[in-house]
Amino acid sequence: VQTATDYLSNLGWTFAKAKFERGAEHASRGIISSMFDEVVSHLVKWKEGGGSLEDKAISMRVSNAILDSIGNDFLPALVDFLPSLSLLFEGIDNDNDGNYMEDWQLIHSLSKILEAVATESGFVVMVCDDLQWADRTTLALISEVLAKLGENLRKVGHCCLFIGLYREDEVDDDHPFSIQYSYLQMSSNINTSEVKLSGLSKKDVADMIIAELRLPMRLVRELADVVYKKTSGHAYFIVELLNSLLRDNIISYSPKRYRYAWDQSRIDLIQTGESVAELIASNLSSLPGDIQSALRILSCFGIQTDIPLLQILEDFESGIISHLDEFIERGIIDRAGPILIFTHDLIQQEAYEAMSLAERHTLHLEIGQFLGELASIDDASSECESAADSITTGMDELRLLDDQAFFVGSRITSSLISIACEQIDLAGPDAVADNYRRLIFSEWNLSAGQKTSHQSDFRAALYYFSKGIEFLGRECWLNDVRLCLALHEGAVSAAYALGEADQVVRYTEDVMSHVSLEDTLGVQQLLLRSLAQSGKHKECITRGVNILRQLDFDIPISPTMEIVMTSMASTDCIASPCGVDEIMKLCEKVVDESAHCIVKIMDAFYISCYASASAFLPLISCELVKYALKHGICQESTVAFASYGMFKIFFEGDYAAGKKWADVVRAITEKHQSSSTSNGQGLEIRAHILLYITIDIWFSSPRDISQKLLNYHHSAVRMGEVDTAMISLQMGWRYLLYGGGNLSIISKSFEDRATLIAKSSDYAAKYVALDYALLAELTGQSADKLADIEGMVCNIEVLQTEAEFVNNNRLLHHINVNNVMLAYWRGDYISAEKSSHVAWKYPTAKMPTIVLIYHTFYGGLIAFKLFRTMGGVDGNKRLMEGRELMIAMGKWAQNSMAVFGNKWLLLSAEHSASIHEHDKCKKLYKASIKIAQDHGNIHELGLANQLFGNYCLSHECGVDANSCFKKAYTYYTQWGATAVAEKILRHHKLDLHTGDNTDLQVGSSKRSR
């Protein structure tokens, strides 16, 4: 591999490498950070004159491409993960106000950087060694970056090579590496090849000895047999054994024979033990004592370290630097610039394990204390001091040392405090008898955890926070409450960022058992978000309501409609008199931390209320609005105001009020935009998505909203808002599907988008399955096309059973409405009617969403159809039902004829046909067709012509029914609904070669929306 990468580097490839360490999973993120930073450092070198004029030009092009794809807003947070960016882009302020890079934001940014480098500079090669020792989240990060890069295969081409090395005997099918590798193998955008490196054969061993000793095969055959048996063909072990034979003069040069010679009987008697590891140990034990001492210190830092750190350690153990040349000469370590690397991890392992456990702990502790007392506590990491006056013990002992980057254990770390804690934590609290020193070491771990959190290295952060808690001991809350609280808050935050819900619960409940309610609000809002992300909505809502009740909010345990309407009325009394200008002034009011925490609590379990269509949803929205108007409006308040506007429509049918509050939300987000953090921008996206799907749908076309949702998907990905990104992607394509988007285009990209959503959001994946079932019905595609996508349930009956089991009313409602549309297009109107009646019974049935609009539309068509074809005792009920739905559509048409005009006129035509108002009916069908044509709604043109044809077929109205059916066929075909078009063609036995097609044009400007 080294030979190949050296060759590619000489050809101009940008090269970067990483090597993971045994037993150091928490360091994985730092290791991968170093690899990606190495890519950026090449650009810095070219920029600063380390290359030709062409290299400088390439660096400039790549830098511009990075800025175009990532943007200035996200570079500061990315600098913590890629320090070299601050050298590539001057003037970047890496103070990210405590916000961190979510994994999706990181994935997007890293893939765009690699894409820019690959397309502008030529080629990129990255090598990751010992992947079996990387942690789960880092392996997922690597595979997602590669998958994201593969999505732009046409742009990147085959300019990026990733080489991953792992030890097969340490990886089974359930290992995280196996799971991620399988994911990459399944990707159609990534070419994977597997090369198995087996041990050397007996002949290979003989050839190696022949080349080294310059002897013929007949003389080395017996020696080669013995060496092969004792090393199992492992190349490194062969070299070690041969070196030991030469060192011990068992093989030596014979002046008499003019060649190397040996006593075969002595070689046969050599004992190498259970493994060649023992041979390595014996080789190391022969070193002089001072050299062994230096080697043991080096081994305490893992596989790699750097000279700047060793220069600091000269004051701890003099002579380390002076022994480096001898280590290199003996083949114990290699040097690459300032970085020192053990030539094999077994050498490091044996040097380390040559010490007893007690000796290791003592040495780790001594090194850690030495470095910790030199470490600087950055001003930016003094949050724990401001949060807790009592966390001051030991800080006076720390001497200032300028922050600098050290390369330790295969990764870059920005401070000595992290390295010091690594050493101390390896010794463990049992090695420290003095409680005073334990307290100091807890403080150091807190500082290290805060620094690594700031760098988005949450695996390392969780490690440091948990170790800090361990050093405080069983009576940690008695020793120092504020220090203990700070460590637990850090652990909750890191565990939440890693998606480890069990750890979030564990540390949060520990906090709740020992401090006041007010001091738990920070961790409790993260717990609520964690529960919501895990789909545990009922538990999330129960906990959230209990918190608010403890804070004296008047939230009932079991809300009724009367309670909800009372809450709406009381909120209306407070909110309605407030104009936009007055509300904008409240945005300028500084929201104190306590009030901010309470708003965050409400916002946190609002997500679960919405997802489960809980009766608490309007209550929480009202409470948030009233609280914000009293205490000041922060960014977390925006979703509540959007919801309040939605409920003004839902409960009161007041569309003007809904639009007013939508305008208020947009004004609030614009007001906060200049000072908005990435977290604030995520809240803005959530609020705007809610506006689009519950308020704007009454005034704008689905295709217009679809484009906005898809745009927000890309923004949400860049900010790491993965759930929001997936929901906006799913909703964007649903609106395109419902709104008459070209089905051929939707179909081509549906599988890739469904795969992305299924991998990222179980919630959104369920709705994707429903949308695909409708798409398949319209286009005639196989309904099982998505069956092979992991995490995707394609069988609607299975999906319904699962939803019924967990009482997911929102999903059950959507399933039944989807069944209405499926049955309608199949011509099974009885089944469609049954599903429609079931759907109306769910509490979410009247929620102002696009599902309500299309349920109303198809429900009306079905009612009129069955009234005319079946009549009977249910006839009048069906007529009345259809009429009520038609009236509802007419009210909506007052908001926008462009959106609802065709549907209203078509339902009116069907109603007139049902009550034999034939003259009026004919005019309404034609008006419906015209308004659909005027606004480019090709799907509605197909349906209007089909229904007009059905009417003309059974009534003498002076219009050729076949002409209508031909137009319907053409429009359906243009829409992409080929299965529907073919059904019309077969059923009516159309001759497409006759007839007038002059009316089949749709306004291109309107169709392009």
Side-chain angles (χ1 to χ4, degrees), residues 454-622:
H454 192 74
Q455 296 160 357
S456 299
D457 189 354
F458 300 109
R459 179 63 63 193
L462 182 58
Y463 171 84
Y464 291 127
F465 290 132
S466 63
K467 290 296 181 181
I469 293 169
E470 286 181 23
F471 271 101
L472 285 179
R474 293 181 180 178
E475 305 298 325
C476 58
W477 292 102
L478 298 177
N479 292 331
D480 193 318
V481 174
R482 289 299 169 183
L483 174 57
C484 197
L485 178 59
L487 286 164
H488 278 78
E489 287 175 336
V492 170
S493 180
Y496 171 72
L498 292 168
E500 297 185 357
D502 291 343
Q503 295 279 58
V504 173
V505 172
R506 171 193 165 194
Y507 287 113
T508 299
E509 291 188 341
D510 201 12
V511 172
M512 291 166 61
S513 300
H514 294 92
V515 298
S516 67
L517 175 64
E518 287 72 18
D519 285 335
T520 70
L521 295 181
V523 294
Q524 289 218 66
Q525 65 102 359
L526 289 178
L527 172 59
L528 294 177
R529 294 186 188 281
S530 179
L531 291 171
Q533 288 180 358
S534 303
K536 298 178 180 178
H537 299 303
K538 187 176 180 180
E539 182 182 353
C540 178
I541 294 168
T542 301
R543 283 180 178 268
V545 169
N546 286 337
I547 294 169
L548 292 183
R549 288 174 64 85
Q550 291 177 63
L551 291 167
D552 296 327
F553 281 86
D554 187 17
I555 305 290
I557 296 176
S558 300
T560 63
M561 181 55 69
E562 183 181 356
I563 292 173
V564 169
M565 295 310 296
T566 300
S567 181
M568 285 290 295
S570 66
T571 306
D572 198 44
C573 290
I574 298 171
S576 290
C578 297
V580 175
D581 292 339
E582 187 177 349
I583 292 174
M584 290 305 98
K585 290 180 181 178
L586 288 171
C587 292
E588 298 172 0
K589 183 177 180 179
V590 177
V591 182
D592 65 66
E593 187 59 31
S594 175
H596 203 180
C597 283
I598 292 171
V599 171
K600 286 182 177 180
I601 287 287
M602 286 192 273
D603 179 67
F605 78 98
Y606 172 91
I607 299 167
S608 283
C609 290
Y610 185 85
S612 59
S614 169
F616 284 104
L617 182 61
L619 291 179
I620 299 306
S621 299
C622 288

Side-chain angles (χ1 to χ4, degrees), residues 188-246:
S188 58
N189 298 323
I190 298 175
N191 297 324
T192 60
S193 300
E194 189 170 337
V195 179
K196 292 190 177 183
L197 301 176
S198 57
L200 298 178
S201 66
K202 192 180 295 184
K203 182 178 182 305
D204 294 331
V205 174
D207 290 341
M208 180 185 292
I209 295 173
I210 289 170
E212 291 298 322
L213 302 184
R214 305 289 195 273
L215 295 174
M217 175 63 80
R218 62 183 177 80
L219 293 178
V220 304
R221 184 175 285 111
E222 288 186 73
L223 174 61
D225 287 347
V226 173
V227 171
Y228 176 75
K229 289 176 183 177
K230 293 183 181 295
T231 62
S232 300
H234 194 296
Y236 178 74
F237 295 166
I238 292 168
V239 171
E240 282 295 312
L241 179 56
L242 290 176
N243 283 338
S244 69
L245 295 176
L246 288 165

Side-chain angles (χ1 to χ4, degrees), residues 610 642-643 645-647 649-650 655 687-699 705 735 847-850:
Y610 185 85
S643 294
M646 171 185 72
F647 285 118
I649 293 173
F650 178 52
Y655 297 93
H688 279 215
I689 288 174
L690 189 59
L691 295 182
Y692 292 149
I693 66 177
T694 62
I695 298 177
D696 290 355
I697 54 168
W698 308 105
F699 307 98
I705 293 174
Y735 276 58
M847 287 289 285
T849 66
I850 195 170

Side-chain angles (χ1 to χ4, degrees), residues 411-455:
R411 70 191 193 281
I412 293 176
T413 181
S414 61
S415 68
L416 280 180
I417 197 68
S418 299
I419 307 172
C421 288
E422 283 281 327
Q423 297 299 310
I424 292 167
D425 295 342
L426 286 169
D430 290 341
V432 185
D434 183 358
N435 287 334
Y436 175 74
R437 302 305 294 174
R438 283 189 175 195
L439 188 64
I440 292 173
F441 297 155
S442 291
E443 291 168 354
W444 290 357
N445 271 288
L446 175 62
S447 177
Q450 289 171 335
K451 283 180 176 290
T452 47
S453 286
H454 192 74
Q455 296 160 357

